[in-house]
Amino acid sequence: MTEKVSVRLARGGLLAALGLLLAGAAGAQVARPISDPLSSLVFRSDRLTPSQPIAPLEDYQGAVSGAVRDGWAVFRLGSDVEWRASIDRRTGMLSFGEGGGIGWIPGRGNTLTAADVAPFTGGKAPDLAALEKIARAFLPRVSALLGIDPGALVLNRARSGSPASHVWFVDFDLRADGLPIESARVIFRVNNGNLVQFGSENLPVPGTAVPAAVSSRDQALAGVAAYVGGFSGADTFLDAGSLHLVPVAIAGSSSADGFDFGKGRGLAKTWDFTFHRDGVMGTWRARVDAATGEMLAFEDVNDYAQVTGGAYPVSPTVGPEQVKAMPYADLSSGGFANSAGIYSFGGGTVTSLLAGQFVKINDTCGAISQASDPSGNIAFGTSAGTDCTTPGHGGAGNTHASRTQFYQVNRIKEVGRGWLPANTWLTQQLTVNVNLNQTCNAYWNGVTLNFFKSGGGCGNTGEIAAVSLHEYGHGLDQNDGTGTAPEGGTGESYADITATIALHDSCIGPGFLGTNCGGYGDACTACTGVRDIDFAKHASNTPATVANFTQPRCGIGSGPCGREVHCESYVPSEAVWDFANRDLPNPGTGPAWTTLDRLWYLSRDTATSSFTCHTTGTFTSDGCNAGSWWKTMRAVDDDDGNLSNGTPHSCNLFAAFNRHLIACTTDAGANTCFAGCTAPPVPTLSLSGGTNSATASWTNSGAGVVYDLFRNESGCNAGFIKVASSLAGTSFTDNALADGTTYFYQVTALPTGDEACASVPSTCQSVTPGTPCTPPAAPAGLTATAGAGRVDLAWSASAGATEYHILRSTTSGGPYSQIGTATGLTFTDTAVVAGTTYFYVVRAATGPTCESGNSNEASATPTAAPDFSLSISPASVTVFKNGGTATYTVTINRINGFASPVTLSVSGLPAGATGAFSPNPASGSSSTLTLTVSGSTAHGTFTFTVTGTGGSPTLTRTATAQLVKSQKPH
């Protein structure tokens, strides 16, 4: 039952309870990493964590009571098998006995018969009820050794039973004053019919009295309310106040252990309050001592178990399986795990069938069912081999393909939901069939994804990430709003691009083949997949077009040119690959891929055929059809509602698409990159890890700006999932993470409602939840000294810092952007403009994301830096005979007092021509360049380049001129 409560407190009751609470909480905190306001309040009193100091009985013969010592001797006499015992030094009582030979039920370890145990079994096969009766009949032999009253024991059925035919567990809770004592237990373990172990955990010292509850529920709740800053309608109480008995440590002074032998564990009666706060991950429990009002604990009581399994990040030929979260896995306890495979474990055994919220696996090798371990973790594991090989647990269907497909398809659907949140297909369960009894293919049948076993020279297609993502791409194509592509070439390219965007790899499915792909006659040079969509990784090193590739190489089919669809897909796929990896600014980097992600996904529900093919005579093509990728991606890219003046990335799109002749060259502004708005400043991102969570924070990019946050678990140059859109604030706590896994983040800033005007992504940062950051103190004494074209910074050391982050702004007070990292205590900024005042702060750090607050701000205004330029005269000289020379004057224009020598060189001369400078290096304002031609020098006009280097830091400047070799006129 849950209830919403409002708390009204009398002033006197509140103050009294608060005083007791603060007295108890001080100095007794075990903090977890802070990821939300409640997390910062977490603590647990040392009283609640009494150790269990177990020691061999023989080492404490003189310390234990005579009853324990003699009782154990008598017990041993009753068995023909050796038994050994240990004691709990906090209670002075027997903690554990281990041996054998004491028959409880018929089994291989004894000669008991059914008749011997009939008084307990009633003549039936032994069951739990019979085992409980046997245990209770046995208890008088050991109860005095354990220090318990057998009448206080109550069978715990969840922990008792027969996990295997030869094993039984009989497990009891201990009760006192009508309440179970938390975590106190007595257990008996039977193997092959014989008692082999018995013992206890967390028992109080015999004779411990149960404390009376002096504080009322309302008084205790008042203290909790004060501690958490009050309750509101956002709080749902799962337990609005209940009494519990818990073991507590009793301090002592006679031993360095901090307790007295045999007097070290008692009982506390507590008021427990458990609630959930909307928007805050966790189930929060406050525990108040009912006798004293002391706050004993405030903590998140969710037991965060995880569903994991081995999956191939790429394919078996590229690298081994990695243990990955099984996102959104089904749970027999109800509901699903989250994106990180995390779920709240309530005890017992929980199983998963890999029939999750968004993906369901069917494996022809057999059924899938993996049970949790005692901590609730459902580990599907890893294994060698292929096809139907399993780790030996989780069912016959717990194969590489099952785990890999469950992971990869979940992740790519998550990418889709980030960009296409209104697409209901992405929120439905998708069935994936693996290990089908065919080879060398995979397919989407309009409803399910299907993957084949290995054989015929091909790998298991369900074990190859890109094949998985390709087939999923067909499903998205069918369900993106426009229906399946109108022709198969675009459909195949759509699927390849889906895989490429996720993996950032031009090789589609490495390991699919045993050798490099044939490329339809233009052989792949480094890809064992089905295709490589980077033209430079083919033998011809030539961009594919319909004239040079499709027409001569592709057989008959149903692509845009009426040719075989997989072959035809090369042309549009290469164009999209080029866009991200050749033509965008900083090609091949995370920011370039982010731009492609945005334009690709946001144009899906309007795009149709990737281009138009004209097949009369020599094939030609263009991207002028309304649904072409050129048209639709440009439309998405535009930021001012005017395509005729270009778009922010139109010239990059044009370079890529026109290279493969599928742009529409007649479009106004086709080759013009024009931004109609000014993108907000790039945010500076920082991360801090929490328990199964991380908080991302970033600098403010100005008024009217919102932010998109992206995450992956593969690396900074891998496909990202958009985890939050249009955030108004400058921080976000991501609760869908798993401790120990490294996650990578980036953030973009954009004006509200204008994603086309987004900034490039922030510098990618990483965080590993569960490893809290303890930053050093902020540096002190920062100074900034202006120079010619430079600003020199210096600061004092911060204890524990391993590096320092240097940040700069052109506005006092920021926002600042990081410009560098130093391991020492100085830094020189040379990326400055003369006359501009710069404001600096430095942060001490222990890594890229664990950093202090800002140092003091220091500012400086650099002067102009010394520089030089080159010019050559005359601009062109003609030579008419072999052995002739051409003479040029290279002028060195010295700027802002540049006084260093300049070393000169010449490049770009035709074969047979040589050049020499005098003087070289040149310390003055000029040098003479003499070029000499020979008989082997061809006739023609040649542009050459003179390069000059000098200064500190080294400057490089160039100038060009022409050399003409001609026959002498007659």
Side-chain angles (χ1 to χ4, degrees), residues 884-886 888 906 909-917 929-934 937 963:
T885 59
Y888 303 81
V906 61
L909 295 176
T914 60
F917 295 91
L929 169 61
T930 301
L931 301 182
T932 303
V933 299
S934 67
T937 302
L963 169 66

Side-chain angles (χ1 to χ4, degrees), residues 875-935:
S876 179
V877 176
T878 301
V879 179
F880 295 103
K881 65 179 181 178
N882 298 333
T885 59
T887 301
Y888 303 81
T889 297
V890 180
T891 299
I892 303 168
N893 306 298
R894 297 179 178 272
I895 305 167
N896 297 328
F898 183 86
S900 299
V902 175
T903 300
L904 299 167
S905 62
V906 61
S907 60
L909 295 176
T914 60
F917 295 91
S918 180
N920 193 19
S923 299
S925 59
S926 66
S927 178
T928 299
L929 169 61
T930 301
L931 301 182
T932 303
V933 299
S934 67

Side-chain angles (χ1 to χ4, degrees), residues 59-155:
D59 293 347
Y60 284 83
Q61 290 285 336
V64 299
S65 67
V68 171
R69 184 174 55 250
D70 297 341
W72 179 246
V74 171
F75 178 87
R76 293 180 67 186
L77 290 173
S79 174
D80 294 333
V81 176
E82 181 182 6
W83 278 76
R84 294 193 177 184
S86 57
I87 60 162
D88 182 342
R89 291 190 292 118
R90 282 192 179 271
T91 63
M93 307 303 293
L94 202 73
S95 171
F96 202 72
E98 183 173 280
I102 300 177
W104 272 29
I105 58 176
R108 292 180 58 217
N110 57 54
T111 59
L112 292 176
T113 66
D116 294 327
V117 295
F120 304 104
T121 64
K124 300 177 182 178
D127 58 12
L128 182 56
L131 268 292
E132 180 185 3
K133 292 175 183 178
I134 295 170
R136 290 193 178 278
F138 183 81
L139 268 167
R141 292 182 58 180
V142 296
S143 58
L145 296 174
L146 298 171
I148 58 169
D149 173 8
L153 297 181
V154 176
L155 184 69

